[in-house]
Structures are given as C-alpha cells and as structure tokens.
C-alpha cells in the first residue's frame, strides 16, 4: 500500500525514484501549464488516482510506459 512520507530523504537517493524527482523538477511546470490549458485552473487528484505500467518492446532496449490518471479538481473560491 503506498503511503505519504515513504522516502528517507527529501531528495531521493535511489536512482529510479530520483528520475521521477528529476521529471517533476524539469517538466512539472510544463505539466501544470498543459493541464490548466486543457481543463482550466485546478489540480490533478492524487487521491482519486489510477496508474498503469507497461513494458514497450523497442529494438534499442525495452521502454517503460507509465499512464497516470487523476481526477481533475477545479479550484474553488469560498
């Protein structure tokens, strides 16, 4: 079962987990802008969330395909 706070350090030292950290650092603002462009202002839920992981055969070496699906939650004003 996944749980928040499972990493021992704020910057991951495990090479695979560090790549995810690096993806968010490099592409996080792009992900945000694309989501806002498509859906408007809001966030993608990490609670109502699904993920699929597949192997993609490739002559240069197999690839990892990860599909993340989170419910869009528009910002609300109170």
């Amino acid at each position: 079962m996944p749980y928040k706070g499972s990493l021992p350090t704020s910057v991951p030292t495990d090479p695979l987990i560090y790549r995810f950290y690096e993806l968010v650092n490099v592409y996080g603002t792009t992900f945000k802008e694309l989501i806002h462009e498509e859906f408007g202002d809001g966030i993608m839920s990490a609670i109502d969330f699904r993920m699929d992981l597949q192997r993609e055969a490739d002559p240069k070496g197999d690839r990892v395909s990860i599909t993340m699906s989170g419910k869009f939650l528009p910002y609300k004003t109170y």
Side-chain angles (χ1 to χ4, degrees), residues 10-27:
S10 59
V11 177
T13 56
D14 177 88
L16 188 139
I17 296 172
Y18 180 80
R19 293 309 178 270
F20 286 101
Y21 174 81
E22 188 175 42
L23 277 168
V24 171
N25 274 301
V26 173
Y27 297 106

Side-chain angles (χ1 to χ4, degrees), residues 2-52:
Y3 62 96
K4 194 174 187 175
S6 64
L7 300 177
T9 60
S10 59
V11 177
T13 56
D14 177 88
L16 188 139
I17 296 172
Y18 180 80
R19 293 309 178 270
F20 286 101
Y21 174 81
E22 188 175 42
L23 277 168
V24 171
N25 274 301
V26 173
Y27 297 106
T29 54
T30 302
F31 294 151
K32 178 182 176 182
E33 289 301 319
L34 290 171
I35 289 169
H36 285 185
E37 184 177 312
E38 182 69 25
F39 295 93
D41 289 343
I43 62 170
M44 182 181 82
S45 174
I47 296 170
D48 188 347
F49 180 82
R50 291 188 308 262
M51 182 179 70
D52 184 50

